Amino acid sequence: MITLFQTAGSILAGAGSFRSVAGQIRSQLGSVRRALLVTSPSIRRNGWAEELRKQLASTGIVADILEDDIRPEPAAGDIESMHAKIGGETFDVYIGLGGGSVLDATKLLAALATNNRPLESMLGTDNIENDGIPTVLIPTTSGTGSEVTPNAIVTLPERQLKIGIVSRRLYPKLAVLDPELTLTLPKAVTAATGMDAFTHALESFIGRKANPISDMFALEAIRLISGSIIEAYENGSSIAARSAMLYGSAYGGMALAASGTAAVHALAYPLGGRFGIAHGVANAMLLPHVMEAQLDAVASRLSLAAEAMRQGTGSIGDCSNDAGTEAEWALEQLAEWTRRVGIPQNLAEYGITEPDLPSLAESASHVTRLMDNNPKSFTLGELERIYRKLLPVEGI
Ligand SMILES: NC(=O)c1ccc[n+]([C@@H]2O[C@H](COP(=O)([O-])OP(=O)(O)OC[C@H]3O[C@@H](n4cnc5c(N)ncnc54)[C@H](O)[C@@H]3O)[C@@H](O)[C@H]2O)c1
Ligand SMILES: [Fe+2]
């Protein structure tokens, strides 16, 4: 298999690295006079956007903070309206400071600035013609790994869909991994985004496009996240756990960039597009059930992932265990984590009922970019059955 691995131009990492962002921008991007800072309400409230604006000013870079805040799971139309408001103003760099929603929006705003076309025409793979404005991406969740991927996901409310835009032109010039920025994550966001990161690693590892480069990042992401997700959830102020989660998330993104996600993500998209379920929550709900539904096809890879999970959690395995037993142990762990970190297990909580399942399955089956990477080809009936696992019958 031939693999092309790409990632962010440079990566600045470590606790406190946020305080060196301006200096790095200077040394990585050369002559920068104006920056546009894209962010979200939680980040404004934490004071980080203003802190970064001042830091940039001290190195002679004038930064405007985009007036409109990015909302979670951004809609294509909202990003286009923001682009229209920016109008003819020119910036040397766009800086995204926030969760995956902010980072994806920043990538797309930068692409819109140099490609005079609607986002709709960029959907899918390799549909961006020109390089965008250079970007710097600073994640505050752990996370999507968007800071190291060529992906940006948009919601299309009128079509009740979420769709990916994938292009090498979306890689940032600089990614900054500072775990201190994730210390304020609420428990529910820690849980959902952490499980999303784990899903990136596991799906990249079991997927048909898995290769030696993606395997390396995926296994290390699995090890790191396994060893820290419960601690990050229960003790959010642990910088060690937050740090492991942020590296795990970035490595998950690198695995995803070299391989790709699969059926869990494909099934999650319609839950987000039609019912507004947050990306991480949808993936976390689905992950154990999708793996269980394809245990035969993934047992040997899942048993290797189990080894990395055992390394992360420090849990001793029995070396006489065969691949099937280890894969089942991994499944039990996933189900246990989702319980411990409070991932909802009932789609009815989001207004989904039995009659919605056939159309949800149909929508998921159309996400061929991801379904084609899945080890097992699911029939529509099998996809429905996976969703049905999350609609427990009352009284049973
Ligand atoms: N580009 C990619 O490779 C990729 C991969 C996976 C998911 N995604 C997309 O990313 C989006 C989801 O991103 P996400 O899961 O990071 O969530 P998010 O960016 O939507 O953030 C979730 C919530 O947490 C808040 N928040 C973020 N950082 C915080 C902090 N440090 N302290 C307190 N609150 C904070 C946000 O304001 C928001 O309310 C979805 O649209 C998803 O489809 C993209
Ligand atoms: Fe994801």
Side-chain angles (χ1 to χ4, degrees), residues 143-144 196-197 199-200 256 261 265 279 283:
T144 64
D196 183 31
T199 308
H200 296 156
L256 179 167
T261 58
H265 273 74
H279 178 79
N283 279 319

